[in-house]
């Protein structure tokens, strides 16, 4: 049974968002939320509660520390037990390689802007196309989950900005140029897709 909504949530402000030098000391997957990021996650949960109310939820969560903490903030504000949750490594952040050297990272970012964000592959890392491929296999799993009896009415995917954009690209079969024109969501901004009368999902807003 298809859910009524699919909601994609970007994590709250992380220590890396606030101070790039964090990546010199902490592995990317271990970067945590700031105090502001924790509050953003809790506020996001309150906004989701207005939409979802008491309906059931199935969470897919990137295994990074900042997405796990965002999920904790959402649940705190939602204040409910009517949910299921699973960590899903395929919706993790893009691997940008060994970028603890900020000068090298900036150089690679400039190359990416010239080459194109979708096809450019960071040295020892991934391209947008690589992330697109793993998001595609995640969608196959998600569609199989939809067939389970009593599947929840809402899906909430707690992930990262680029992954959100590539999910939208894959779902709606956007062209590369259309993907590259999509702005990265802000911390704890979320995208709502809802099922229409034809049983297909449409974009219902960005909050």
């Amino acid at each position: 049974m298809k859910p009524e909504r699919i909601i994609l949530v970007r994590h709250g402000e992380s220590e890396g968002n606030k101070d790039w030098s964090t990546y010199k000391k902490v592995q990317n997957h271990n970067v945590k939320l700031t105090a502001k990021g924790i509050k953003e996650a809790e506020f996001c949960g309150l906004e989701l509660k207005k939409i979802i109310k008491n309906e059931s939820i199935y969470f897919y969560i990137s295994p990074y520390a900042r997405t796990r903490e965002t999920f904790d903030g959402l649940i705190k504000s939602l204040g409910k037990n009517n949910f299921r949750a699973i960590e899903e490594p395929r919706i993790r952040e893009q691997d940008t390689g060994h970028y603890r050297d900020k000068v090298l990272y900036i150089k690679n970012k400039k190359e990416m802007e010239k080459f194109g964000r979708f096809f450019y592959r960071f040295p020892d890392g991934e391209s947008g196309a690589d992330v697109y491929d793993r998001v595609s296999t995640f969608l196959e799993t998600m569609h199989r989950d939809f067939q389970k009896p009593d599947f929840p009415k809402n899906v909430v995917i707690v992930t990262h900005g680029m992954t959100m954009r590539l999910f939208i690209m894959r779902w709606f079969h956007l062209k590369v140029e259309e993907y590259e024109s999509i702005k990265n969501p802000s911390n704890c901004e979320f995208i709502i897709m809802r099922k229409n009368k034809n049983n297909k999902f449409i974009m219902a807003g960005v909050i």
Side-chain angles (χ1 to χ4, degrees), residues 113-126:
E113 294 303 323
K114 288 175 64 177
F115 194 82
R117 286 183 291 165
F118 186 75
F119 293 111
Y120 179 81
R121 179 178 286 114
F122 283 90
D124 299 318
E126 293 180 301

Side-chain angles (χ1 to χ4, degrees), residues 12 21 27 31 35 44 46 66 71 73 93 115 126 130-131 140-141 146 151 154 178 181-182 202:
S21 67
Q27 296 165 318
V31 172
C44 183
L46 293 174
R66 54 191 178 272
F71 166 72
E93 180 66 283
F115 194 82
E126 293 180 301
D130 294 325
V131 180
E140 292 170 5
T141 299
F146 290 173
F151 188 80
N154 299 275
E178 291 174 304
S181 70
I182 299 173
I202 59 172

Side-chain angles (χ1 to χ4, degrees), residues 50-197:
K50 295 176 186 177
I51 299 165
I52 295 172
K53 298 182 173 61
N54 293 317
E55 295 172 358
S56 56
I57 310 174
Y58 198 108
F59 286 93
Y60 297 94
I61 310 154
S62 160
Y64 279 32
R66 54 191 178 272
T67 37
R68 289 177 176 180
E69 290 182 330
T70 299
F71 166 72
D72 291 340
L74 297 177
I75 291 301
K76 180 179 178 181
S77 293
L78 284 165
K80 59 163 50 194
N81 298 316
N82 191 18
F83 70 88
R84 302 178 221 169
I86 186 170
E87 285 192 7
E88 176 49 74
R90 288 171 293 182
I91 57 171
R92 68 188 185 276
E93 180 66 283
Q94 178 189 22
D95 185 346
T96 50
H98 308 291
Y99 69 105
R100 296 190 177 194
D101 182 327
K102 189 170 185 178
V103 173
L104 179 59
Y105 178 67
I106 291 172
K107 174 179 176 289
N108 290 338
K109 288 276 283 186
K110 287 180 178 177
E111 287 180 354
M112 180 182 69
E113 294 303 323
K114 288 175 64 177
F115 194 82
R117 286 183 291 165
F118 186 75
F119 293 111
Y120 179 81
R121 179 178 286 114
F122 283 90
D124 299 318
E126 293 180 301
S127 66
D130 294 325
V131 180
Y132 178 94
D133 289 343
R134 54 178 164 84
V135 166
S136 295
T137 66
F138 163 65
L139 286 182
E140 292 170 5
T141 299
M142 193 171 69
H143 281 295
R144 286 195 295 272
D145 288 344
F146 290 173
Q147 305 307 313
K148 295 176 181 177
D150 301 319
F151 188 80
K153 285 193 172 184
N154 299 275
V155 164
V156 176
I157 300 171
V158 187
T159 183
H160 308 266
M162 182 182 194
T163 311
M164 287 172 67
R165 287 179 286 149
L166 287 163
F167 181 100
I168 294 299
M169 177 188 179
R170 176 64 182 81
W171 188 283
F172 292 106
H173 306 288
L174 302 182
K175 296 178 181 178
V176 171
E177 293 80 7
E178 291 174 304
Y179 157 74
E180 294 192 337
S181 70
I182 299 173
K183 180 183 175 183
N184 208 42
S186 301
N187 294 117
C188 273
E189 189 171 45
F190 57 91
I191 298 170
I192 304 172
M193 297 162 52
R194 64 172 176 80
K195 191 169 62 176
N196 66 11
K197 61 182 180 182

